[in-house]
Amino acid sequence: MYLYTSVVVVFNLLLFMSVRCVARLRKCEPLLFVRDLDSEDTHVKEKPSKELSNLLSNNVTEKYKEKFKVYVSNTGPAVIGSEIDFLAELYTEIVDIDKKHFLYHWMNDADDSEKLETTNNYRSNISSYIFDSELILPNKYKMKVCVYKRHKENFVIIGENHTMFELTATLNGRSHIHQNLTFNSTSLDIFSTNRVIQYSVNLTDKFHSAPPYWFHLFVDGQRVETKENVNFFDFIHNSTGMIQVKVQVVMESFGTEGKLQGNWSRSIYLEDEVQKVNIVSDSKIITGNPVKFNITFDGSDVRICWRIVDLDNNTAHNRSCDGPLSSGWFLTPGVVLPPGQYIADVVVTNDVSSVNHRSGINVVYNGGGSGTSSPLVVPIVFSMLGMVVLLSGAAYIVRLRKKKDVEVADFDFHPEIQSTGFRIFQMIRGSISDMFQRNEYVRRHRRAKYHQTLARSYGSLEDSNEVL
């Protein structure tokens, strides 16, 4: 109970201080200024009288306010004790030649300081401002600027504006996560497995002299790597699913605060890329039958878009997209096509990759015989030729076996003329050899008919005359 009461008291005190600081930012009113000739500084001499203020406000101020617009910005958020910049820019449609008489009055509700600055142009900036008071707490504060222009012996208001800036207790910066991919989806939090991911943190807090920084990388709560004064990490994650990546930055020995640190975390989702795509289909389709493609793939939750084109790349069937699919294969619906040659054009994509694949040519032909020959034609033709040769050989052997054997004078029969029982190829070889020997026998006997010899026949006429 005591702790709760203390927290409430502190909160009310902070709220009161904030309201009080805001209340102390006074309004922009016409002021009298005097210039110190030695230092050329301009400071407030006194406020004009109420009558003069009303006169300046009514007759001059409103006229200038219509001509000038003021824009104020800052480089926050910034950690308490670091440097922060403020910038005021004055815009007008008609450029004022006498621009040396612009004066900017800065005031804020963080440390209640005020600053007057004269300038020669339409810009005024406060560079490297440091809020290092121990009374300043992390919060959002207001920086206000009043812009004046010289009018005779007085300065009149020509514009005013403010900017909200934030002072923090931790380091400030911007984190960036990146991966080199050939294909990127619209989602910024989906990355690929097995590829390098770079996570970097660019600190925005500025210090005049800062000690070393230590950068720590955590993946799913486990510290992976630590670097000194190096603001980026390269890492690879092999598993799919959601992971949390965190970078912690620690700055050692900062003033009386000891250490300053900042934390940046990012939840990202990892998917497997598509590496292989294959298309299986019938190479020949009879006209009237549907054409189907079995598409196999790898990768996480792919989307398949396919179409059928002819050889001139003209679309024969409009592109169709199906997905997301994660089963590893996809069978397209049947598509009936007219006779011709076609190609299946398939694109498989997911959040981290895209692969394009084309199938071979598919010939669609009529069942009556038009189209290319079947691959079975050549084996069938050669089989039929072999059967014809065998039948011819068998017929020739049968014919030879029906003829009578011819005896010669020396009763020398051919050794191949033997009983049956040999294999068919031995019979063919013997028949061919016998044919050549028979042809030689006939040739010799044809010549013997015309050959004259001295031998005489028994009982010839010459023999009878000699006896007598």
Side-chain angles (χ1 to χ4, degrees):
M1 186 67 181
Y2 175 80
L3 179 61
Y4 174 79
T5 305
S6 301
V7 171
V8 172
V9 171
V10 172
F11 176 80
N12 292 332
L13 179 61
L14 293 176
L15 182 61
F16 172 77
M17 290 178 62
S18 177
V19 173
R20 187 181 64 85
C21 291
V22 172
R24 292 185 61 181
L25 289 180
R26 58 182 177 81
K27 296 181 179 179
C28 297
E29 299 176 349
L31 299 175
L32 293 178
F33 296 93
V34 63
R35 182 181 297 276
D36 190 339
L37 298 180
D38 296 330
S39 62
E40 295 188 356
D41 289 338
T42 304
H43 55 84
V44 179
K45 180 181 179 181
E46 61 179 5
K47 292 184 179 181
S49 62
K50 185 175 180 180
E51 292 78 9
L52 180 58
S53 297
N54 294 335
L55 179 63
L56 292 173
S57 299
N58 296 332
N59 297 337
V60 181
T61 301
E62 297 301 326
K63 182 181 75 171
Y64 280 115
K65 280 189 174 181
E66 294 178 357
K67 295 172 56 178
F68 293 93
K69 300 294 181 183
V70 182
Y71 298 93
V72 189
S73 60
N74 68 87
T75 58
V79 65
I80 297 175
S82 66
E83 301 175 352
I84 185 171
D85 301 334
F86 298 92
L87 174 66
E89 298 177 283
L90 191 63
Y91 292 90
T92 179
E93 296 180 357
I94 302 176
V95 178
D96 194 334
I97 299 177
D98 187 13
K99 56 187 179 181
K100 292 184 178 181
H101 291 171
F102 291 125
L103 186 141
Y104 297 81
H105 183 198
W106 295 89
M107 62 190 81
N108 72 84
D109 57 1
D111 59 3
D112 298 330
S113 66
E114 297 186 13
K115 182 178 180 180
L116 293 175
E117 181 186 26
T118 58
T119 180
N120 292 334
N121 52 37
Y122 291 87
R123 293 164 60 93
S124 173
N125 64 294
I126 301 178
S127 299
S128 304
Y129 195 97
I130 300 176
F131 295 92
D132 56 357
S133 173
E134 296 181 358
L135 299 178
I136 298 177
L137 299 177
N139 202 351
K140 290 185 178 181
Y141 298 93
K142 179 187 291 186
M143 176 68 80
K144 181 179 179 180
V145 61
C146 303
V147 185
Y148 297 86
K149 187 181 184 306
R150 181 74 175 269
H151 179 73
K152 296 181 180 181
E153 299 298 329
N154 302 301
F155 282 86
V156 294
I157 302 170
I158 62 174
E160 63 178 279
N161 208 340
H162 71 274
T163 179
M164 300 299 298
F165 64 97
E166 183 178 5
L167 300 178
T168 64
T170 59
L171 294 172
N172 298 278
R174 299 179 181 89
S175 64
H176 180 68
I177 190 166
H178 174 72
Q179 186 179 57
N180 288 322
L181 294 173
T182 56
F183 177 84
N184 290 315
S185 67
T186 56
S187 177
L188 300 178
D189 294 324
I190 299 180
F191 297 86
S192 172
T193 59
N194 302 310
R195 279 185 179 266
V196 174
I197 302 174
Q198 186 177 94
Y199 195 9
S200 60
V201 174
N202 296 318
L203 297 175
T204 56
D205 293 319
K206 299 186 302 178
F207 298 91
H208 179 69
S209 177
Y213 294 94
W214 292 94
F215 292 79
H216 307 281
L217 173 66
F218 297 83
V219 177
D220 284 339
Q222 298 294 323
R223 180 181 295 183
V224 176
E225 191 175 1
T226 297
K227 294 181 179 181
E228 181 181 1
N229 293 335
V230 178
N231 68 330
F232 66 90
F233 295 92
D234 293 336
F235 68 97
I236 297 177
H237 200 76
N238 298 325
S239 302
T240 60
M242 187 74 71
I243 65 172
Q244 186 179 47
V245 185
K246 175 183 174 182
V247 172
Q248 183 183 75
V249 184
V250 179
M251 190 178 74
E252 302 282 350
S253 304
F254 175 71
T256 60
E257 300 296 330
K259 295 181 180 180
L260 286 176
Q261 70 176 29
N263 296 282
W264 292 263
S265 62
R266 183 88 168 265
S267 295
I268 62 176
Y269 190 84
L270 291 105
E271 293 184 359
D272 289 330
E273 295 184 46
V274 178
Q275 301 289 343
K276 297 179 181 179
V277 175
N278 190 29
I279 305 173
V280 178
S281 65
D282 295 333
S283 59
K284 306 286 187 298
I285 304 296
I286 298 177
T287 302
N289 291 344
V291 181
K292 293 183 179 180
F293 298 97
N294 188 354
I295 304 169
T296 58
F297 56 89
D298 58 1
S300 302
D301 295 336
V302 304
R303 181 177 178 84
I304 295 179
C305 295
W306 59 278
R307 63 173 180 167
I308 300 176
V309 298
D310 58 20
L311 295 184
D312 296 328
N313 204 34
N314 297 318
T315 300
H317 181 75
N318 290 333
R319 192 183 193 97
S320 176
C321 293
D322 301 274
L325 307 170
S326 58
S327 59
W329 66 276
F330 171 71
L331 183 64
T332 64
V335 179
V336 178
L337 300 172
Q341 293 180 330
Y342 302 93
I343 298 175
D345 187 11
V346 176
V347 179
V348 181
T349 61
N350 60 8
D351 295 309
V352 293
S353 60
S354 177
V355 176
N356 184 279
H357 187 76
R358 281 194 162 194
S359 73
I361 298 175
N362 294 272
V363 179
V364 180
Y365 64 96
N366 293 318
S370 61
T372 56
S373 299
S374 172
L376 297 177
V377 171
V378 174
I380 292 175
V381 170
F382 277 97
S383 299
M384 294 180 64
L385 288 176
M387 294 179 64
V388 170
V389 171
L390 291 176
L391 292 175
S392 299
Y396 183 73
I397 292 171
V398 173
R399 181 182 175 185
L400 289 178
R401 291 182 62 83
K402 288 182 179 181
K403 292 183 179 181
K404 294 181 179 180
D405 295 336
V406 179
E407 295 183 3
V408 293
D410 57 1
F411 298 97
D412 185 12
F413 293 97
H414 196 278
E416 295 296 331
I417 303 176
Q418 298 176 5
S419 60
T420 60
F422 294 97
R423 291 176 298 179
I424 189 169
F425 73 91
Q426 292 176 335
M427 295 174 64
I428 294 173
R429 184 181 64 180
S431 300
I432 294 174
S433 176
D434 184 57
M435 180 182 64
F436 282 105
Q437 291 184 12
R438 188 180 300 277
N439 290 339
E440 180 64 21
Y441 173 81
V442 173
R443 183 181 61 80
R444 288 201 312 251
H445 283 72
R446 284 178 181 174
R447 290 183 181 180
K449 184 172 61 172
Y450 300 100
H451 181 68
Q452 294 188 12
T453 181
L454 296 178
R456 294 189 178 100
S457 301
Y458 177 78
S460 64
L461 183 59
E462 289 83 357
D463 293 338
S464 63
N465 288 337
E466 287 181 4
V467 175
L468 292 177

